[in-house]
Amino acid sequence: MTEIKTAWTELGGDPALVSRVSTVARPGALEARLPVRELARACVGACALAAAELGALRGGRAEVPGVLVDDGAVAAAFGSERNLLVDGRAPDTFAPLSRLWRTADGWVRTHANYPHHRARLLNVLGVSEDVAAVGAALAERSSLEVEESVYAAGGLAVASRTPKEWAPHEQAVAVAARPLVERERLDSAHARVLPIHDGTPLLPAAGLRVLDLTRVLAGPVATRTLALLGADVLRVDPPQLPELPDQHADTGFGKRSATLDLTVDRRTFEELLETADVVVTGYRPGTLDRFGLSPQALAERRPGLVVAQVSAWGAYGPWGDRRGFDSLVQVASGIAVVEGSVEGPGALPAQALDHGTGYLLAAAVLRAVTEQSYDGGSRLLRLALARTAEWLVNGIDATETDAGDVVYYDGPGPWLAARDSALGRLRYALPPVSFAGGPADWARPPVPWGTDPARWL
Protein backbone atom coordinates (compact mmCIF):
# COMPACT_ATOMS: atom_id res chain seq x y z
CA MET A 1 0.00 0.00 0.00
CA THR A 2 3.01 2.31 0.32
CA GLU A 3 2.90 3.55 -3.27
CA ILE A 4 -0.88 4.01 -3.25
CA LYS A 5 -0.47 6.10 -0.11
CA THR A 6 2.26 8.16 -1.80
CA ALA A 7 0.08 8.87 -4.83
CA TRP A 8 -2.94 9.63 -2.65
CA THR A 9 -0.97 12.04 -0.48
CA GLU A 10 0.35 13.82 -3.59
CA LEU A 11 -3.29 14.31 -4.60
CA GLY A 12 -4.05 15.95 -1.24
CA GLY A 13 -6.14 13.06 0.02
CA ASP A 14 -6.66 12.03 3.63
CA PRO A 15 -4.07 9.28 4.31
CA ALA A 16 -6.56 7.45 6.55
CA LEU A 17 -8.71 6.66 3.50
CA VAL A 18 -6.03 4.38 2.06
CA SER A 19 -7.35 1.74 4.48
CA ARG A 20 -10.41 1.52 2.20
CA VAL A 21 -8.23 0.01 -0.56
CA SER A 22 -7.65 -3.72 -0.96
CA THR A 23 -5.51 -5.37 -3.61
CA VAL A 24 -5.17 -8.56 -5.58
CA ALA A 25 -1.47 -8.88 -6.37
CA ARG A 26 -0.64 -10.91 -9.46
CA PRO A 27 3.07 -11.59 -9.89
CA GLY A 28 3.84 -11.86 -13.57
CA ALA A 29 1.72 -8.85 -14.54
CA LEU A 30 3.66 -6.00 -16.16
CA GLU A 31 6.97 -7.76 -15.57
CA ALA A 32 9.98 -5.47 -15.82
CA ARG A 33 13.23 -4.63 -14.08
CA LEU A 34 11.66 -1.43 -12.78
CA PRO A 35 8.61 -1.56 -10.44
CA VAL A 36 6.03 -1.00 -13.18
CA ARG A 37 3.35 -3.14 -11.53
CA GLU A 38 3.65 -1.12 -8.31
CA LEU A 39 3.45 2.16 -10.24
CA ALA A 40 0.37 1.01 -12.16
CA ARG A 41 -1.34 -0.28 -9.03
CA ALA A 42 -0.70 3.01 -7.23
CA CYS A 43 -2.04 5.20 -10.02
CA VAL A 44 -5.21 3.17 -10.54
CA GLY A 45 -5.73 2.72 -6.80
CA ALA A 46 -5.49 6.46 -6.17
CA CYS A 47 -7.91 7.14 -9.01
CA ALA A 48 -10.44 4.60 -7.75
CA LEU A 49 -10.18 6.01 -4.22
CA ALA A 50 -10.74 9.57 -5.54
CA ALA A 51 -13.84 8.32 -7.38
CA ALA A 52 -15.13 6.51 -4.29
CA GLU A 53 -14.53 9.60 -2.13
CA LEU A 54 -16.43 11.89 -4.50
CA GLY A 55 -19.21 9.33 -4.85
CA ALA A 56 -19.60 9.13 -1.07
CA LEU A 57 -19.74 12.92 -0.82
CA ARG A 58 -22.43 13.18 -3.48
CA GLY A 59 -24.38 10.28 -2.02
CA GLY A 60 -24.36 11.74 1.47
CA ARG A 61 -22.61 8.65 2.81
CA ALA A 62 -20.47 8.91 5.91
CA GLU A 63 -18.10 6.15 4.81
CA VAL A 64 -16.13 5.94 1.58
CA PRO A 65 -16.91 2.63 -0.15
CA GLY A 66 -14.25 -0.02 -0.47
CA VAL A 67 -11.87 0.05 -3.42
CA LEU A 68 -10.42 -3.04 -5.11
CA VAL A 69 -7.24 -2.89 -7.20
CA ASP A 70 -6.61 -6.09 -9.15
CA ASP A 71 -3.22 -6.28 -10.86
CA GLY A 72 -4.81 -8.32 -13.64
CA ALA A 73 -7.35 -5.65 -14.51
CA VAL A 74 -4.65 -2.98 -14.24
CA ALA A 75 -2.27 -4.84 -16.55
CA ALA A 76 -5.00 -5.39 -19.15
CA ALA A 77 -5.95 -1.70 -19.05
CA PHE A 78 -2.33 -0.50 -19.25
CA GLY A 79 -2.10 -2.47 -22.47
CA SER A 80 -5.48 -1.32 -23.76
CA GLU A 81 -4.14 -0.14 -27.11
CA ARG A 82 -2.51 -3.56 -27.61
CA ASN A 83 -5.54 -5.52 -26.42
CA LEU A 84 -7.91 -3.71 -28.75
CA LEU A 85 -9.28 -5.59 -31.76
CA VAL A 86 -11.48 -3.91 -34.39
CA ASP A 87 -13.44 -6.55 -36.30
CA GLY A 88 -10.74 -9.00 -35.32
CA ARG A 89 -7.90 -6.77 -36.57
CA ALA A 90 -5.10 -5.78 -34.23
CA PRO A 91 -4.20 -2.08 -34.53
CA ASP A 92 -0.80 -0.78 -35.54
CA THR A 93 0.50 1.01 -32.47
CA PHE A 94 3.72 2.38 -34.00
CA ALA A 95 4.53 3.45 -37.55
CA PRO A 96 7.65 1.98 -39.25
CA LEU A 97 9.71 5.11 -38.59
CA SER A 98 8.75 5.25 -34.89
CA ARG A 99 11.51 3.15 -33.36
CA LEU A 100 15.02 2.99 -31.95
CA TRP A 101 17.90 3.54 -34.36
CA ARG A 102 21.65 3.15 -34.11
CA THR A 103 23.62 6.35 -34.48
CA ALA A 104 27.33 7.02 -34.87
CA ASP A 105 27.77 7.04 -31.08
CA GLY A 106 24.74 5.29 -29.59
CA TRP A 107 20.99 5.18 -30.06
CA VAL A 108 18.15 7.56 -30.82
CA ARG A 109 14.38 7.10 -30.65
CA THR A 110 12.11 8.73 -33.21
CA HIS A 111 8.35 9.20 -33.17
CA ALA A 112 6.72 9.52 -36.59
CA ASN A 113 3.18 8.17 -36.18
CA TYR A 114 1.60 11.43 -37.34
CA PRO A 115 2.20 12.47 -40.97
CA HIS A 116 3.51 15.94 -40.11
CA HIS A 117 6.07 14.54 -37.66
CA ARG A 118 7.17 11.95 -40.22
CA ALA A 119 7.60 14.62 -42.91
CA ARG A 120 9.75 16.79 -40.63
CA LEU A 121 12.01 13.88 -39.71
CA LEU A 122 12.54 12.95 -43.35
CA ASN A 123 13.18 16.56 -44.29
CA VAL A 124 15.98 16.85 -41.72
CA LEU A 125 17.59 13.62 -42.89
CA GLY A 126 17.12 14.43 -46.55
CA VAL A 127 15.88 10.95 -47.43
CA SER A 128 12.73 9.28 -48.70
CA GLU A 129 10.30 7.32 -46.57
CA ASP A 130 12.40 4.18 -46.60
CA VAL A 131 13.50 2.42 -43.42
CA ALA A 132 16.90 1.49 -44.81
CA ALA A 133 17.57 5.02 -46.04
CA VAL A 134 16.56 6.51 -42.68
CA GLY A 135 18.76 4.04 -40.83
CA ALA A 136 21.75 4.83 -43.01
CA ALA A 137 21.32 8.58 -42.54
CA LEU A 138 21.02 8.29 -38.77
CA ALA A 139 24.03 5.98 -38.52
CA GLU A 140 26.23 8.81 -39.81
CA ARG A 141 25.20 11.29 -37.12
CA SER A 142 25.60 11.58 -33.36
CA SER A 143 22.57 11.01 -31.15
CA LEU A 144 22.57 14.56 -29.76
CA GLU A 145 22.94 16.03 -33.24
CA VAL A 146 19.85 14.12 -34.36
CA GLU A 147 17.96 15.12 -31.21
CA GLU A 148 18.60 18.82 -31.69
CA SER A 149 18.23 19.04 -35.46
CA VAL A 150 14.96 17.10 -35.59
CA TYR A 151 13.54 19.10 -32.68
CA ALA A 152 14.52 22.37 -34.38
CA ALA A 153 12.52 21.25 -37.43
CA GLY A 154 9.44 20.48 -35.32
CA GLY A 155 9.96 16.73 -35.36
CA LEU A 156 10.47 14.17 -32.61
CA ALA A 157 13.73 12.40 -31.80
CA VAL A 158 15.47 11.82 -28.47
CA ALA A 159 18.94 10.50 -27.69
CA SER A 160 19.19 7.46 -25.46
CA ARG A 161 20.67 8.17 -22.05
CA THR A 162 21.36 6.18 -18.92
CA PRO A 163 19.69 7.26 -15.67
CA LYS A 164 23.03 8.68 -14.53
CA GLU A 165 23.37 10.68 -17.74
CA TRP A 166 19.81 12.00 -17.49
CA ALA A 167 19.92 12.96 -13.78
CA PRO A 168 22.18 16.06 -14.17
CA HIS A 169 20.45 17.21 -17.35
CA GLU A 170 18.86 20.61 -16.76
CA GLN A 171 15.39 19.28 -17.65
CA ALA A 172 15.74 16.28 -15.34
CA VAL A 173 16.76 18.57 -12.47
CA ALA A 174 13.75 20.80 -13.11
CA VAL A 175 11.42 17.79 -13.26
CA ALA A 176 12.73 16.21 -10.06
CA ALA A 177 12.20 19.46 -8.16
CA ARG A 178 8.45 19.41 -8.86
CA PRO A 179 5.76 17.42 -7.05
CA LEU A 180 4.32 14.37 -8.79
CA VAL A 181 0.97 16.20 -8.99
CA GLU A 182 1.12 19.98 -9.19
CA ARG A 183 -2.01 21.56 -7.69
CA GLU A 184 -2.73 25.28 -7.68
CA ARG A 185 -5.71 27.40 -6.68
CA LEU A 186 -6.27 30.15 -9.26
CA ASP A 187 -8.89 32.34 -7.56
CA SER A 188 -11.50 32.50 -4.79
CA ALA A 189 -14.52 31.32 -6.77
CA HIS A 190 -17.47 30.11 -4.72
CA ALA A 191 -17.71 26.53 -3.55
CA ARG A 192 -19.04 24.13 -6.18
CA VAL A 193 -22.63 23.02 -5.64
CA LEU A 194 -22.87 19.32 -6.44
CA PRO A 195 -26.22 17.60 -7.00
CA ILE A 196 -26.69 15.13 -4.16
CA HIS A 197 -27.95 11.58 -4.46
CA ASP A 198 -31.77 11.57 -4.46
CA GLY A 199 -32.45 7.86 -4.35
CA THR A 200 -31.40 7.10 -7.93
CA PRO A 201 -27.95 5.66 -8.78
CA LEU A 202 -25.43 8.46 -9.18
CA LEU A 203 -21.93 8.05 -10.57
CA PRO A 204 -19.24 10.24 -8.97
CA ALA A 205 -18.74 12.49 -12.01
CA ALA A 206 -22.39 12.58 -13.15
CA GLY A 207 -23.37 16.04 -14.35
CA LEU A 208 -19.80 17.24 -14.87
CA ARG A 209 -19.05 18.64 -18.31
CA VAL A 210 -15.50 17.91 -19.45
CA LEU A 211 -13.91 19.58 -22.48
CA ASP A 212 -11.31 17.13 -23.75
CA LEU A 213 -8.55 18.97 -25.64
CA THR A 214 -6.04 16.13 -25.58
CA ARG A 215 -4.05 13.90 -27.89
CA VAL A 216 -2.79 10.38 -27.45
CA LEU A 217 -2.32 8.93 -24.83
CA ALA A 218 -2.21 10.12 -21.20
CA GLY A 219 -4.83 12.86 -21.59
CA PRO A 220 -7.33 10.65 -23.43
CA VAL A 221 -6.88 7.94 -20.78
CA ALA A 222 -7.78 10.50 -18.11
CA THR A 223 -10.89 11.71 -19.92
CA ARG A 224 -11.90 8.14 -20.80
CA THR A 225 -11.85 7.46 -17.06
CA LEU A 226 -13.95 10.54 -16.28
CA ALA A 227 -16.45 9.37 -18.90
CA LEU A 228 -16.60 5.98 -17.18
CA LEU A 229 -17.50 7.77 -13.96
CA GLY A 230 -20.45 9.61 -15.50
CA ALA A 231 -19.03 12.84 -16.91
CA ASP A 232 -20.25 14.25 -20.21
CA VAL A 233 -16.91 14.23 -22.03
CA LEU A 234 -16.71 16.07 -25.34
CA ARG A 235 -13.44 15.59 -27.16
CA VAL A 236 -12.71 18.50 -29.49
CA ASP A 237 -10.03 18.30 -32.19
CA PRO A 238 -8.94 20.69 -34.92
CA PRO A 239 -10.33 19.38 -38.22
CA GLN A 240 -6.91 19.60 -39.89
CA LEU A 241 -5.32 17.21 -37.35
CA PRO A 242 -7.34 13.99 -37.32
CA GLU A 243 -6.50 11.47 -34.62
CA LEU A 244 -5.14 8.10 -35.66
CA PRO A 245 -8.26 5.88 -35.96
CA ASP A 246 -7.10 2.99 -33.76
CA GLN A 247 -5.85 5.30 -31.01
CA HIS A 248 -9.15 7.18 -31.14
CA ALA A 249 -11.06 3.90 -30.84
CA ASP A 250 -9.02 2.78 -27.83
CA THR A 251 -9.44 5.97 -25.82
CA GLY A 252 -12.86 7.05 -27.09
CA PHE A 253 -15.04 4.87 -24.85
CA GLY A 254 -17.79 6.84 -23.13
CA LYS A 255 -17.01 10.07 -24.99
CA ARG A 256 -18.38 12.11 -27.84
CA SER A 257 -16.10 13.44 -30.58
CA ALA A 258 -16.35 16.80 -32.36
CA THR A 259 -14.14 18.99 -34.53
CA LEU A 260 -13.72 22.72 -34.10
CA ASP A 261 -11.35 25.16 -35.76
CA LEU A 262 -10.47 27.76 -33.14
CA THR A 263 -8.99 30.07 -35.76
CA VAL A 264 -12.40 30.64 -37.36
CA ASP A 265 -15.02 29.64 -34.75
CA ARG A 266 -14.27 30.99 -31.30
CA ARG A 267 -17.94 31.57 -30.54
CA THR A 268 -18.73 27.85 -30.36
CA PHE A 269 -15.82 27.23 -28.02
CA GLU A 270 -16.88 30.09 -25.76
CA GLU A 271 -20.40 28.67 -25.63
CA LEU A 272 -18.98 25.32 -24.55
CA LEU A 273 -16.75 26.98 -21.96
CA GLU A 274 -19.67 28.90 -20.42
CA THR A 275 -21.07 25.75 -18.83
CA ALA A 276 -17.96 23.53 -18.71
CA ASP A 277 -16.77 22.21 -15.34
CA VAL A 278 -13.41 20.80 -16.41
CA VAL A 279 -11.00 21.48 -19.28
CA VAL A 280 -8.31 18.86 -19.88
CA THR A 281 -5.43 19.73 -22.23
CA GLY A 282 -2.70 17.48 -23.58
CA TYR A 283 -0.98 19.71 -26.10
CA ARG A 284 2.57 21.01 -25.80
CA PRO A 285 2.71 23.65 -23.01
CA GLY A 286 1.83 27.09 -24.34
CA THR A 287 0.31 25.80 -27.60
CA LEU A 288 -3.24 26.79 -26.66
CA ASP A 289 -2.31 30.07 -24.98
CA ARG A 290 -2.45 31.96 -28.28
CA PHE A 291 -6.15 31.13 -28.45
CA GLY A 292 -6.74 32.62 -25.01
CA LEU A 293 -6.81 29.17 -23.44
CA SER A 294 -4.16 29.55 -20.75
CA PRO A 295 -5.37 28.30 -17.34
CA GLN A 296 -5.62 31.82 -15.97
CA ALA A 297 -7.56 33.10 -18.99
CA LEU A 298 -9.95 30.15 -18.87
CA ALA A 299 -10.61 30.64 -15.16
CA GLU A 300 -11.25 34.36 -15.65
CA ARG A 301 -13.98 33.58 -18.18
CA ARG A 302 -15.34 30.59 -16.28
CA PRO A 303 -14.76 30.99 -12.50
CA GLY A 304 -14.78 27.68 -10.67
CA LEU A 305 -13.26 25.79 -13.59
CA VAL A 306 -10.84 22.89 -13.11
CA VAL A 307 -8.03 23.07 -15.68
CA ALA A 308 -5.99 19.86 -15.92
CA GLN A 309 -2.85 19.78 -18.05
CA VAL A 310 -0.58 16.91 -19.02
CA SER A 311 2.64 17.16 -21.00
CA ALA A 312 5.67 15.03 -21.76
CA TRP A 313 8.45 17.05 -20.16
CA GLY A 314 6.61 19.49 -17.88
CA ALA A 315 5.74 23.14 -18.42
CA TYR A 316 9.16 24.35 -17.23
CA GLY A 317 12.87 23.91 -17.86
CA PRO A 318 14.68 24.04 -21.22
CA TRP A 319 12.47 21.29 -22.65
CA GLY A 320 9.24 22.82 -21.36
CA ASP A 321 8.11 23.73 -24.88
CA ARG A 322 9.06 20.43 -26.49
CA ARG A 323 6.71 17.82 -27.86
CA GLY A 324 7.04 14.32 -26.51
CA PHE A 325 5.51 10.90 -26.05
CA ASP A 326 5.87 8.03 -23.59
CA SER A 327 8.41 6.17 -25.76
CA LEU A 328 10.62 9.26 -26.01
CA VAL A 329 10.52 9.92 -22.26
CA GLN A 330 11.51 6.30 -21.60
CA VAL A 331 14.58 6.75 -23.82
CA ALA A 332 15.64 10.15 -22.47
CA SER A 333 15.21 9.27 -18.79
CA GLY A 334 17.26 6.06 -18.90
CA ILE A 335 14.31 3.69 -18.56
CA ALA A 336 15.03 2.18 -21.99
CA VAL A 337 18.63 1.40 -20.98
CA VAL A 338 17.53 -0.20 -17.70
CA GLU A 339 15.01 -2.36 -19.56
CA GLY A 340 17.43 -3.13 -22.41
CA SER A 341 20.13 -5.68 -23.06
CA VAL A 342 23.57 -5.93 -24.63
CA GLU A 343 21.80 -5.59 -27.98
CA GLY A 344 20.50 -2.13 -27.15
CA PRO A 345 17.82 -0.17 -25.25
CA GLY A 346 14.49 -1.82 -24.48
CA ALA A 347 11.08 -0.66 -23.31
CA LEU A 348 8.59 -1.08 -20.51
CA PRO A 349 5.99 -3.85 -20.94
CA ALA A 350 3.35 -1.16 -21.53
CA GLN A 351 3.23 2.58 -22.12
CA ALA A 352 3.10 2.85 -18.36
CA LEU A 353 4.09 6.52 -18.18
CA ASP A 354 1.12 7.44 -20.36
CA HIS A 355 -1.40 5.22 -18.62
CA GLY A 356 -0.14 5.90 -15.11
CA THR A 357 -0.10 9.66 -15.62
CA GLY A 358 -3.56 9.45 -17.19
CA TYR A 359 -5.09 7.79 -14.14
CA LEU A 360 -3.32 10.24 -11.84
CA LEU A 361 -4.69 13.12 -13.90
CA ALA A 362 -8.24 11.78 -13.64
CA ALA A 363 -7.73 11.31 -9.90
CA ALA A 364 -6.50 14.89 -9.56
CA VAL A 365 -9.64 16.18 -11.31
CA LEU A 366 -11.90 14.15 -9.02
CA ARG A 367 -10.08 15.34 -5.92
CA ALA A 368 -10.22 18.95 -7.12
CA VAL A 369 -14.00 18.69 -7.54
CA THR A 370 -14.26 17.21 -4.03
CA GLU A 371 -12.18 20.04 -2.58
CA GLN A 372 -14.18 22.66 -4.48
CA SER A 373 -17.36 21.44 -2.79
CA TYR A 374 -16.18 22.94 0.49
CA ASP A 375 -13.29 25.24 -0.42
CA GLY A 376 -14.20 26.68 -3.83
CA GLY A 377 -11.64 28.20 -6.14
CA SER A 378 -10.72 27.53 -9.74
CA ARG A 379 -8.02 24.87 -9.87
CA LEU A 380 -4.97 24.18 -12.02
CA LEU A 381 -3.55 20.67 -12.11
CA ARG A 382 -0.34 19.75 -13.91
CA LEU A 383 1.31 16.39 -14.50
CA ALA A 384 4.19 15.34 -16.72
CA LEU A 385 5.28 11.99 -18.10
CA ALA A 386 8.88 12.82 -17.20
CA ARG A 387 7.90 13.37 -13.55
CA THR A 388 6.07 10.03 -13.49
CA ALA A 389 9.23 8.49 -14.98
CA GLU A 390 11.32 10.03 -12.21
CA TRP A 391 9.00 8.47 -9.64
CA LEU A 392 9.27 5.08 -11.31
CA VAL A 393 13.07 5.15 -11.48
CA ASN A 394 13.87 6.77 -8.14
CA GLY A 395 10.79 6.91 -5.93
CA ILE A 396 9.20 3.47 -5.74
CA ASP A 397 10.47 0.75 -3.42
CA ALA A 398 10.81 -2.27 -5.69
CA THR A 399 11.58 -4.55 -2.73
CA GLU A 400 8.19 -4.09 -1.05
CA THR A 401 6.38 -7.42 -0.79
CA ASP A 402 2.90 -7.92 -2.21
CA ALA A 403 0.03 -7.27 0.18
CA GLY A 404 -3.50 -8.64 0.01
CA ASP A 405 -4.46 -11.67 -2.04
CA VAL A 406 -1.72 -13.04 -4.30
CA VAL A 407 -2.56 -14.92 -7.51
CA TYR A 408 -0.20 -15.49 -10.45
CA TYR A 409 -1.07 -13.51 -13.58
CA ASP A 410 -2.12 -15.64 -16.54
CA GLY A 411 -2.89 -13.08 -19.22
CA PRO A 412 -5.53 -10.38 -19.79
CA GLY A 413 -8.39 -12.71 -20.83
CA PRO A 414 -10.65 -12.27 -17.76
CA TRP A 415 -10.54 -8.48 -18.14
CA LEU A 416 -11.41 -8.25 -21.83
CA ALA A 417 -14.91 -7.68 -23.23
CA ALA A 418 -16.54 -7.28 -26.63
CA ARG A 419 -19.30 -5.07 -28.02
CA ASP A 420 -20.58 -3.69 -31.29
CA SER A 421 -19.99 -0.08 -32.27
CA ALA A 422 -20.12 2.25 -35.24
CA LEU A 423 -16.44 1.39 -35.70
CA GLY A 424 -17.13 -2.35 -35.89
CA ARG A 425 -17.00 -5.20 -33.42
CA LEU A 426 -14.59 -4.22 -30.64
CA ARG A 427 -12.63 -6.34 -28.23
CA TYR A 428 -11.28 -4.13 -25.49
CA ALA A 429 -9.89 -3.99 -21.97
CA LEU A 430 -12.40 -3.32 -19.21
CA PRO A 431 -11.76 -0.36 -16.90
CA PRO A 432 -9.54 -1.15 -13.88
CA VAL A 433 -11.09 1.53 -11.64
CA SER A 434 -13.21 -0.50 -9.24
CA PHE A 435 -15.10 0.45 -6.07
CA ALA A 436 -18.30 -0.68 -4.37
CA GLY A 437 -21.24 0.64 -6.35
CA GLY A 438 -19.03 1.81 -9.21
CA PRO A 439 -19.46 1.14 -12.95
CA ALA A 440 -18.14 -2.06 -14.52
CA ASP A 441 -17.98 -0.70 -18.07
CA TRP A 442 -18.49 2.45 -20.14
CA ALA A 443 -22.02 3.52 -20.95
CA ARG A 444 -21.28 3.79 -24.67
CA PRO A 445 -18.66 2.56 -27.15
CA PRO A 446 -16.41 4.96 -29.07
CA VAL A 447 -17.71 6.76 -32.14
CA PRO A 448 -15.86 7.66 -35.35
CA TRP A 449 -13.65 10.71 -35.02
CA GLY A 450 -15.54 13.98 -35.50
CA THR A 451 -19.00 12.38 -35.41
CA ASP A 452 -20.76 14.67 -32.96
CA PRO A 453 -21.77 18.34 -32.94
CA ALA A 454 -19.71 20.63 -30.73
CA ARG A 455 -22.31 21.08 -28.02
CA TRP A 456 -23.20 19.61 -24.65
CA LEU A 457 -25.80 16.92 -24.21
Side-chain angles (χ1 to χ4, degrees):
M1 292 292 185
T2 300
E3 303 316 325
I4 295 177
K5 186 175 182 179
T6 298
W8 184 244
T9 301
E10 287 273 351
L11 292 163
D14 178 0
L17 289 181
V18 176
S19 64
R20 304 300 300 154
V21 181
S22 59
T23 62
V24 178
R26 296 184 187 268
L30 297 173
E31 280 194 327
R33 294 190 179 96
L34 291 167
V36 178
R37 185 162 57 100
E38 290 79 2
L39 171 100
R41 183 192 297 161
C43 295
V44 171
C47 185
L49 187 55
E53 177 192 39
L54 181 56
L57 172 68
R58 300 191 66 180
R61 297 189 295 272
E63 186 174 62
V64 172
V67 168
L68 176 66
V69 186
D70 189 315
D71 285 349
V74 172
F78 268 55
S80 63
E81 68 278 7
R82 303 177 188 183
N83 287 319
L84 179 72
L85 294 179
V86 182
D87 286 332
R89 175 187 61 82
D92 295 321
T93 54
F94 286 104
L97 300 187
S98 296
R99 50 171 284 187
L100 282 156
W101 308 85
R102 281 192 179 275
T103 62
D105 61 349
W107 294 86
V108 70
R109 172 85 195 204
T110 56
H111 197 288
N113 283 9
Y114 290 104
H116 56 295
H117 292 155
R118 182 164 59 250
R120 292 164 186 170
L121 171 66
L122 294 173
N123 186 56
V124 168
L125 299 179
V127 298
S128 63
E129 191 173 337
D130 176 78
V131 171
V134 172
L138 290 170
E140 296 176 350
R141 308 187 185 198
S142 74
S143 299
L144 290 179
E145 177 192 355
V146 173
E147 179 179 275
E148 291 304 317
S149 61
V150 173
Y151 162 69
L156 291 154
V158 170
S160 176
R161 296 168 171 85
T162 67
K164 286 186 178 180
E165 289 169 338
W166 174 245
H169 190 284
E170 193 174 348
Q171 187 63 31
V173 173
V175 165
R178 300 288 179 130
L180 180 64
V181 181
E182 294 186 67
R183 302 180 298 124
E184 181 182 342
R185 181 173 173 148
L186 297 175
D187 57 31
S188 57
H190 295 302
R192 182 185 293 274
V193 178
L194 294 168
I196 301 299
H197 178 63
D198 60 0
T200 58
L202 184 68
L203 293 174
L208 293 179
R209 289 176 166 175
V210 178
L211 262 177
D212 179 357
L213 308 179
T214 68
R215 305 289 282 182
V216 66
L217 182 62
V221 166
T223 51
R224 181 181 69 183
T225 303
L226 295 174
L228 168 75
L229 298 169
D232 178 11
V233 178
L234 179 64
R235 173 160 168 167
V236 177
D237 287 288
Q240 67 274 21
L241 286 177
E243 183 59 279
L244 301 174
D246 290 335
Q247 293 176 347
H248 180 73
D250 172 47
T251 58
F253 282 87
K255 308 179 191 179
R256 293 179 299 119
S257 172
T259 59
L260 184 63
D261 189 342
L262 293 179
T263 63
V264 298
D265 188 1
R266 289 299 303 277
R267 169 187 257 180
T268 298
F269 181 86
E270 294 303 322
E271 289 174 351
L272 290 170
L273 181 63
E274 281 180 6
T275 55
D277 299 289
V278 181
V279 174
V280 185
T281 70
Y283 289 81
R284 184 166 49 101
T287 300
L288 298 176
D289 292 7
R290 63 193 175 98
F291 296 108
L293 304 184
S294 69
Q296 292 76 13
L298 289 169
E300 285 176 6
R301 303 204 297 280
R302 175 61 170 156
L305 191 69
V306 175
V307 182
Q309 297 182 324
V310 61
S311 62
W313 309 106
Y316 41 77
W319 285 17
D321 62 348
R322 293 199 177 192
R323 300 172 179 87
F325 293 92
D326 182 305
S327 58
L328 301 180
V329 176
Q330 288 190 41
V331 169
S333 64
I335 289 173
V337 171
V338 173
E339 296 295 336
S341 66
V342 293
E343 297 179 354
L348 297 175
Q351 294 190 70
L353 306 181
D354 263 331
H355 286 275
T357 306
Y359 286 108
L360 283 178
L361 188 65
V365 170
L366 296 168
R367 287 243 64 253
V369 171
T370 296
E371 291 178 344
Q372 285 181 323
S373 69
Y374 56 82
D375 198 30
S378 302
R379 305 297 173 111
L380 171 60
L381 312 166
R382 281 198 178 113
L383 287 91
L385 304 188
R387 182 61 182 85
T388 304
E390 201 279 336
W391 186 39
L392 174 64
V393 174
N394 299 311
I396 296 179
D397 182 4
T399 64
E400 185 180 359
T401 57
D402 289 320
D405 297 333
V406 179
V407 185
Y408 192 79
Y409 181 66
D410 193 28
W415 301 280
L416 301 180
R419 69 198 300 181
D420 293 319
S421 76
L423 300 170
R425 182 71 173 173
L426 303 180
R427 188 199 74 176
Y428 61 99
L430 290 166
V433 174
S434 177
F435 55 96
D441 201 347
W442 288 273
R444 62 174 69 90
V447 297
W449 184 81
T451 293
D452 299 293
R455 61 172 180 261
W456 297 115
L457 290 174

